[in-house]
């Protein structure tokens, strides 16, 4: 909170004023000490005589009058609002200047003279009375007070944090959301405050939260999701992939109990009908826009409507009807009957709906990734979220004229993309979370496509996947195409460097992840996915590392253990130049491509055990990729580099796969009794590079970390087993053998490190 003491107004050019506090503080001190001002008029005329010189625009005088005459039906706040809203609008519409570039004398002066504290006091006054019947405040007064507070928050530094520090006021604001007339202003202020609050609010502390949420109409609930997104997401402390696993594991040890975000997720799921209403919001249809200039119109509106408050205020104006008694005024039926709504640009109506769908999908996505994932999955399936999104795909989610020229954002990163782009990204994230390692992934198909999977399994004489057999056909997609097939169609149309490709590839990959399914792979191969991926990697000129990494990962899942996929690969990569280009892309960043390397190594190992199959033998002899990986010097080259590009201190969720890929190479070598040969090759590499002990000590430390990390995480161990078809017990056993202390063992790393160079990094794992 700004005060006269110790603050320099941009209007007074840095001259320190010799006042001890602001006006409202002086009044409060008077009540406690009995000294000083006894009434507002005693502030003194000299204070206000400076008004013209200091350019206070009469705000101190207005504040004095507001203090003296403030009561539940006061209308003086409207005068303040008219002065402060102009500044807030300029802040919203003029590219959001930094604090150093902008000056907002009215809001600064308002805060300086205690206006923020005074408005908080006025708003909360009814809760402090001892009377049985609480006085009811005028709705317009409440709206004006909230709007002025919001204007101060966005225009004057420190106000938002000051309000956020008052837990009583934050919880009180939620009670104002019960009034539809003040809901919009309240929600916007809460969203701003929670965004800077140091400690995440506990939803269970909100009075009658369940009743509050159930009282919301659909538009209010959609708006409320903006607030919820702050309360159920783990605090954003940077890109999750870039945080070292060492630091994250230490953090988990310190915070063994569920986080506030996790507790809030449980609280939300306990509200009757909450998930069902979100599914209805996510799949609600909106009217279509027409006309050749639609995209330009959409972008023009978005440029101006950067702030949600402005957009919501206009939409509220458009949907309100005088003397309307129904509480469902924002449902589609009533929206359609509002004459003013029809006078708004069609694109604005669509943007409004899209912005809310972004927030709804985000909330559902976070819940899908939480500890109650199975419970959420069951409800999303029951309330037909996926079929509903499938019905919106062509008309709303992926229209032909959408342009993508944005950067890739992480899950918790702020995105300044247009609503259309944000909507698509959030939709793809939801599909990724929905499909990832869950049997409900088959809901992304329609009945005909499920029958196609069954036919593929029957033709290959292999049993159908249990999850496919158990899929409830009444919950799958409708129409000629399922959601996965629609996604593949638009994926092929994206420009080479479009970052939509990244999220599209992640969503499709999640469908394939888990235990490898031949039928799933063939379903996608028949639709030309492998050729599309290879075109993107080899021929398209794509340079985005994010897109290439997602395509390498997808290619690995698509080809793993599938002899038909390797045959198709060889047909597309039919010249030495193409194959060399493919290898160049792989070798340019092993962190990005190591999952594909792992796939090739695992597949080669399996094919070499199937030499009785004529087709396998034929592909083994002809496929350039398998022939390349069959040469031991190439596998050793990958092993050297995989071990060398990581260490315990730099391991992250993104690059830990390099450690697991190196382990896969050594596990397969151990199966063939060639582990000593590989370890000795590592030792020779060290001496050739004149760094004896460096590589092997680093690998030893990495494996010690591996034991700590994976032996306590069931999910990670299950993923390793499913993706490699190697029992996790064999993973653990191999690591134990490699870490053996017996220097006479030919399978222990210690045997290959000369004594002077042993344990160079003994303390790396110390907390």
């Amino acid at each position: 909170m700004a005060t006269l003491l110790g603050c320099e107004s941009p209007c007074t050019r840095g001259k320190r004023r010799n006042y001890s506090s602001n006006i409202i503080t002086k009044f409060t001190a008077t009540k406690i000490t009995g000294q000083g001002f006894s009434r507002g008029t005693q502030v003194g005329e000299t204070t206000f005589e400076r008004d013209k010189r200091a350019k206070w625009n009469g705000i101190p005088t207005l504040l004095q009058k507001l203090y003296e005459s403030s009561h539940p039906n006061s209308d003086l706040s409207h005068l303040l609002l008219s002065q402060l809203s102009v500044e807030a609008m300029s802040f919203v519409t003029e590219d959001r200047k930094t604090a150093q570039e902008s000056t907002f004398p009215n809001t600064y002066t308002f805060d300086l003279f205690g206006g923020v504290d005074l408005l908080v006091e006025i708003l909360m006054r009814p809760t402090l009375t001892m009377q049985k019947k609480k006085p009811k405040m005028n709705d317009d007064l409440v709206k004006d007070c909230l709007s002025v507070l919001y204007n101060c928050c966005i225009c004057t530094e420190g106000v938002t944090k000051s309000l956020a520090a008052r837990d009583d006021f934050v919880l009180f604001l939620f009670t104002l959301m019960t009034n539809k007339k003040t809901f919009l202003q309240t929600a916007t202020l809460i969203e701003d405050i929670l965004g800077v609050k140091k400690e995440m609010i506990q939803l269970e502390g909100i009075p009658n939260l369940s009743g509050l949420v159930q009282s919301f109409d659909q538009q209010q609930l959609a708006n409320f999701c903006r607030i919820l997104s702050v309360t159920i997401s783990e605090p954003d402390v940077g890109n999750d992939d870039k945080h070292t696993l060492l630091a994250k594991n230490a953090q988990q040890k310190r915070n063994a109990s569920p986080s506030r975000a996790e507790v809030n997720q449980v609280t939300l799921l306990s509200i009757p009908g909450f998930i069902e209403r979100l599914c209805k919001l996510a799949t609600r249809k909106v009217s279509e826009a027409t006309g050749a200039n639609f995209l330009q119109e959409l972008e023009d509106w978005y440029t101006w409507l950067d702030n949600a408050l402005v957009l919501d205020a206009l939409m509220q104006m458009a949907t309100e009807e005088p003397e309307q008694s129904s509480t469902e005024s924002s449902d589609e039926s009533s929206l359609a009957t509002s004459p003013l709504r029809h006078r708004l640009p069609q694109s604005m109506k669509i943007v409004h709906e899209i912005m809310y769908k972004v927030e709804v999908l985000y909330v559902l996505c976070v819940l899908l990734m939480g500890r109650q994932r199975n419970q959420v999955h069951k409800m999303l399936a029951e309330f037909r979220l996926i079929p509903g999104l499938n019905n919106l795909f062509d008309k709303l989610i992926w229209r032909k004229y959408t342009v993508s020229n944005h950067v890739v954002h992480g899950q918790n990163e702020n995105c300044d993309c247009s609503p259309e782009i944000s909507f698509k990204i959030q939709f793809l994230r939801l599909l990724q979370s929905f499909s990832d390692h869950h049997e409900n992934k088959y809901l992304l198909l329609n009945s005909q496509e499920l029958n196609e999977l069954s036919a593929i399994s029957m033709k290959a004489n292999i049993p159908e996947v249990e999850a496919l057999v158990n899929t409830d056909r009444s919950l799958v997609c409708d129409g000629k195409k399922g959601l996965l097939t629609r996604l593949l169609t638009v994926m092929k149309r994206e420009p080479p460097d479009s970052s939509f490709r990244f999220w599209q590839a992640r969503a499709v990959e999640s469908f394939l992840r888990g235990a490898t399914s031949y039928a799933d792979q063939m379903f996608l191969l028949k639709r030309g996915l492998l050729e599309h991926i290879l075109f993107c990697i080899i021929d398209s000129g794509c340079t985005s590392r994010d897109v290439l990494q997602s395509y390498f990962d997808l290619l690995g899942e698509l080809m793993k253990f599938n002899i038909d996929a390797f045959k198709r690969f060889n047909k597309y990569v039919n010249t030495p130049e193409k194959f060399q280009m493919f290898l160049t892309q792989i070798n340019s960043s092993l962190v990005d491509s190591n999952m594909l390397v792992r796939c090739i190594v695992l597949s080669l190992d399996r094919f070499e055990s199937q030499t009785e199959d004529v087709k396998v033998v034929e592909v083994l002899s002809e496929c350039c990729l398998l022939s390349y990986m069959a040469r031991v010097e190439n596998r050793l080259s990958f092993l050297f580099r995989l071990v060398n590009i990581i260490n315990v201190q730099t391991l992250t969720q993104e690059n830990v796969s390099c450690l697991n890929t190196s382990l896969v190479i050594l596990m397969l070598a151990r199966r063939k009794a060639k582990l000593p040969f590989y370890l000795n090759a590592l030792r020779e590499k060290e001496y050739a590079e004149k760094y004896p002990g460096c590589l092997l000590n680093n690998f030893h430390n990495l494996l010690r970390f591996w034991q700590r990390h994976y032996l306590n995480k069931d999910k990670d161990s299950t993923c390793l087993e499913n993706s490699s078809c190697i029992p996790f017990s064999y993973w653990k056993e191999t690591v134990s053998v490699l870490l053996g202390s017996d220097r006479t063992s030919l399978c222990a790393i210690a045997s290959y490190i000369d004594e002077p160079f042993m344990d160079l990094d003994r303390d790396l794992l110390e907390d």
Side-chain angles (χ1 to χ4, degrees):
M1 175 62 64
T3 63
L4 283 172
L5 181 61
C7 292
E8 295 181 355
S9 166
C11 308
T12 56
R13 302 182 187 278
K15 296 179 181 179
R16 187 179 297 277
R17 300 290 184 182
N18 190 26
Y19 293 95
S20 60
S21 61
N22 60 35
I23 288 177
I24 193 65
T25 305
K26 289 185 177 183
F27 280 124
T28 304
T30 296
K31 295 176 182 178
I32 298 173
T33 65
Q35 300 176 353
F37 302 125
S38 61
R39 59 187 183 278
T41 54
Q42 289 181 316
V43 171
E45 294 183 5
T46 55
T47 299
F48 303 111
E49 287 174 359
R50 300 190 183 95
D51 199 324
K52 292 183 179 180
R53 298 197 305 272
K55 298 181 181 179
W56 288 337
N57 299 326
I59 287 179
T61 305
L62 279 173
L63 274 173
Q64 184 185 37
K65 291 179 180 178
L66 182 60
Y67 176 82
E68 292 173 344
S69 62
S70 63
H71 53 81
N73 295 305
S74 171
D75 60 357
L76 284 173
S77 61
H78 188 71
L79 297 174
L80 288 167
L81 179 63
S82 64
Q83 286 186 273
L84 303 183
S85 60
V86 175
E87 293 172 6
M89 182 63 73
S90 69
F91 181 80
V92 167
T93 57
E94 293 179 7
D95 296 329
R96 294 186 177 271
K97 297 176 182 177
T98 63
Q100 290 74 19
E101 295 173 328
S102 304
T103 57
F104 299 99
N106 283 346
T107 51
Y108 184 91
T109 305
F110 180 79
D111 181 38
L112 190 69
F113 281 87
V116 171
D117 283 339
L118 180 56
L119 290 189
V120 170
E121 178 191 323
I122 291 173
L123 285 171
M124 296 189 69
R125 192 172 292 164
T127 67
L128 304 176
T129 180
M130 300 300 292
Q131 301 175 12
K132 290 185 178 179
K133 186 177 180 180
K134 306 290 185 184
K136 187 177 185 332
M137 291 185 66
N138 180 281
D139 290 338
D140 290 334
L141 172 63
V142 174
K143 289 170 67 173
D144 288 348
C145 288
L146 293 169
S147 296
V148 171
L149 286 175
Y150 178 75
N151 292 342
C152 290
C153 284
I154 64 173
C155 297
T156 304
E157 186 177 357
V159 173
T160 313
K161 290 183 178 179
S162 175
L163 293 176
R166 296 192 55 171
D167 291 337
D168 59 336
F169 180 64
V170 176
L171 291 177
F172 164 76
L173 284 176
F174 282 93
T175 67
L176 297 181
M177 299 182 82
T178 58
N179 186 343
K180 185 169 184 178
K181 292 182 179 179
T182 61
F183 174 90
L184 181 60
Q185 289 75 15
T186 307
T188 310
L189 182 59
I190 291 175
E191 181 187 358
D192 209 51
I193 289 174
L194 294 186
V196 301
K197 192 169 176 60
K198 287 185 177 180
E199 286 192 355
M200 185 178 292
I201 190 174
Q202 289 288 77
L203 292 179
E204 59 187 5
I206 299 173
N208 191 25
L209 175 65
S210 180
L212 177 68
V213 173
Q214 289 177 318
S215 72
F216 292 155
D217 60 36
Q218 286 297 79
Q219 182 167 327
Q220 288 175 312
L221 181 61
N223 213 326
F224 191 59
C225 283
R226 294 216 303 264
I227 295 172
L228 293 180
S229 65
V230 182
T231 68
I232 61 175
S233 306
E234 296 298 342
D236 184 9
V237 287
N239 191 328
D240 186 62
D241 282 345
K242 300 300 186 291
H243 277 182
T244 66
L245 295 180
L246 204 61
K248 290 172 71 174
N249 288 352
Q251 181 71 18
Q252 288 173 354
K253 284 183 180 180
R254 290 192 295 268
N255 303 322
S257 58
S259 66
R260 287 197 168 194
E262 290 170 333
V263 173
N264 285 342
Q265 292 174 26
V266 174
T267 301
L268 282 182
L269 291 174
S270 68
I271 298 176
F274 176 70
I275 295 296
E276 181 178 9
R277 294 186 68 190
L278 289 193
C279 289
K280 288 181 178 179
L281 270 171
T283 58
R284 184 172 66 179
K285 295 180 180 179
V286 292
S287 53
E288 288 294 302
T290 57
N293 296 324
F294 170 76
L295 181 61
Q296 183 59 49
E297 183 186 27
L298 179 67
E299 293 302 324
D300 288 344
W301 274 105
Y302 170 67
T303 300
W304 181 65
L305 297 173
D306 182 47
N307 180 264
L309 176 65
V310 180
L311 177 59
D312 289 338
L314 287 172
M315 289 306 297
Q316 184 183 56
M317 175 187 71
T319 56
E320 283 180 347
E321 291 184 351
E323 306 298 327
Q324 185 169 4
S325 59
S326 172
T327 60
E328 294 297 319
S329 64
S330 61
D331 283 351
E332 274 197 304
S333 57
S334 59
L335 286 177
T337 63
S338 171
L340 184 54
R341 177 177 172 81
H342 291 302
R343 295 202 293 270
L344 292 171
Q346 184 74 3
S347 59
M348 182 177 172
K349 289 180 268 185
I350 292 179
V351 170
H352 187 253
E353 185 71 16
I354 284 176
M355 287 178 69
Y356 284 134
K357 287 189 187 305
V358 170
E359 302 299 338
V360 170
L361 292 182
Y362 179 82
V363 170
L364 291 175
C365 190
V366 172
L367 293 174
L368 264 178
M369 296 186 293
R371 294 191 179 188
Q372 285 70 42
R373 186 187 186 212
N374 288 333
Q375 177 188 355
V376 176
H377 245 294
K378 183 178 179 181
M379 289 190 283
L380 296 187
E382 178 185 351
F383 301 131
R384 294 180 56 82
L385 174 68
I386 297 302
L389 292 175
N390 187 48
N391 292 334
L392 288 180
F393 190 89
D394 290 331
K395 294 182 179 180
L396 180 67
I397 300 175
W398 226 280
R399 291 179 294 222
K400 294 180 180 179
Y401 35 74
T402 300
V403 178
S404 166
N405 55 356
H406 60 288
V407 297
V408 175
H409 292 280
Q411 177 69 26
N412 294 323
E413 287 187 67
N414 294 324
C415 179
D416 56 0
C417 307
S418 73
E420 287 253 306
I421 291 175
S422 298
F423 184 36
K424 288 177 173 60
I425 292 175
Q426 201 54 60
F427 164 75
L428 293 171
R429 283 175 172 168
L430 179 75
L431 290 193
Q432 179 185 356
S433 302
F434 188 86
S435 301
D436 194 21
H437 292 89
H438 202 281
E439 59 185 16
N440 275 351
K441 68 179 185 179
Y442 290 110
L443 298 183
L444 271 64
L445 309 181
N446 64 20
S447 294
Q448 293 78 12
E449 291 164 346
L450 293 178
N451 292 337
E452 183 180 339
L453 286 179
S454 300
I456 292 171
S457 297
M458 183 178 298
K459 183 177 180 181
N461 196 28
I462 57 176
E464 287 185 71
V465 177
E466 185 178 355
L468 175 61
V469 175
N470 295 335
T471 297
D472 186 343
R473 298 290 180 111
S474 68
L475 301 177
V476 301
C477 291
D478 308 312
K480 296 181 179 180
K481 292 181 180 179
L483 200 49
L484 180 64
T485 304
R486 293 184 191 276
L487 177 58
L488 290 174
T489 301
V490 298
M491 184 177 179
K492 294 177 183 178
R493 296 174 182 168
E494 287 297 321
D497 281 312
S498 166
S499 55
F500 282 144
R501 284 183 178 271
F502 171 83
W503 297 110
Q504 290 163 344
R506 283 282 178 255
V508 177
E509 183 208 348
S510 68
F511 180 82
L512 291 171
R513 291 182 69 184
T516 303
S517 166
Y518 175 79
D520 292 354
Q521 291 173 325
M522 292 306 300
F523 179 85
L524 296 174
L525 286 170
K526 288 171 65 176
R527 284 156 176 79
L529 180 59
L530 183 136
E531 289 78 10
H532 165 71
I533 297 172
L534 292 176
F535 171 81
C536 182
I537 294 173
I538 300 173
D539 299 318
S540 72
C542 177
T543 57
S544 166
R545 295 312 314 173
D546 292 304
V547 172
L548 287 172
Q549 180 185 14
S550 65
Y551 272 60
F552 283 135
D553 292 346
L554 175 55
L555 187 61
E557 292 294 337
L558 186 62
M559 296 181 66
K560 191 190 304 173
F561 306 133
N562 192 310
I563 198 68
D564 297 286
F566 280 89
K567 187 173 183 178
R568 283 174 174 257
F569 176 94
N570 214 47
K571 185 176 180 180
Y572 186 92
V573 186
N574 53 9
T575 66
E577 292 76 20
K578 278 190 173 184
F579 185 60
Q580 190 55 51
M581 181 61 185
F582 183 75
L583 291 180
T584 299
Q585 292 281 47
I586 287 180
N587 288 318
S588 63
S589 177
L590 269 185
V591 172
D592 298 331
S593 62
N594 81 88
M595 293 296 291
L596 176 59
V597 172
R598 189 191 308 182
C599 147
I600 302 167
V601 170
L602 285 166
S603 300
L604 175 66
D605 182 75
R606 175 172 292 190
F607 297 154
E608 287 178 338
S609 67
Q610 298 174 338
T611 51
E612 72 283 353
D613 189 318
V614 176
K615 184 165 73 170
V616 171
V617 173
E618 178 186 344
V619 175
L620 273 174
S621 62
E622 295 179 355
C623 181
C624 56
L625 185 58
L626 291 173
S627 299
Y628 179 85
M629 195 60 74
R631 293 195 284 274
V632 67
E633 63 270 21
N634 291 330
R635 293 200 299 276
L636 282 172
S637 175
F638 281 122
L639 179 63
F640 297 151
R641 292 159 57 206
L642 287 167
V643 174
N644 202 38
I645 60 179
I646 52 175
N647 60 61
V648 171
Q649 293 173 318
T650 61
L651 273 183
T652 65
Q653 196 64 45
E654 182 181 12
N655 63 27
V656 71
S657 56
C658 294
L659 173 58
N660 290 321
T661 299
S662 65
L663 259 177
V664 165
I665 294 174
L666 291 178
M667 283 190 294
L668 298 181
R670 180 175 172 234
R671 278 181 174 177
K672 298 179 179 180
K674 293 182 178 179
L675 186 55
F677 172 80
Y678 279 76
L679 293 176
N680 189 59
L682 287 174
R683 182 179 186 276
E684 291 179 355
K685 180 69 172 178
E686 287 181 334
Y687 276 89
E689 299 290 338
K690 302 189 185 306
Y691 289 106
C694 183
L695 201 62
L696 288 170
N697 271 297
N698 180 50
F699 192 42
H700 194 276
N701 278 292
L702 286 167
L703 293 180
R704 287 164 60 199
F705 172 83
W706 188 95
Q707 285 184 320
R708 287 192 183 188
H709 182 70
Y710 283 103
L711 299 189
N712 296 315
K713 300 184 74 175
D714 294 336
K715 182 181 178 182
D716 280 347
S717 63
T718 302
C719 290
L720 289 178
E721 184 171 303
N722 287 340
S723 65
S724 65
C725 289
I726 299 175
F728 189 64
S729 58
Y730 195 76
W731 286 77
K732 292 190 294 183
E733 184 181 311
T734 301
V735 172
S736 296
V737 167
L738 288 167
L739 292 178
S741 57
D742 183 3
R743 289 178 58 80
T744 64
S745 170
L746 295 180
C747 293
I749 293 175
S751 302
Y752 298 86
I753 307 175
D754 292 336
E755 192 66 39
F757 309 112
M758 282 289 293
D759 294 325
L760 291 175
D761 300 315
R762 179 186 294 275
D763 298 326
L764 274 180
L765 297 185
E766 298 301 321
D767 293 333

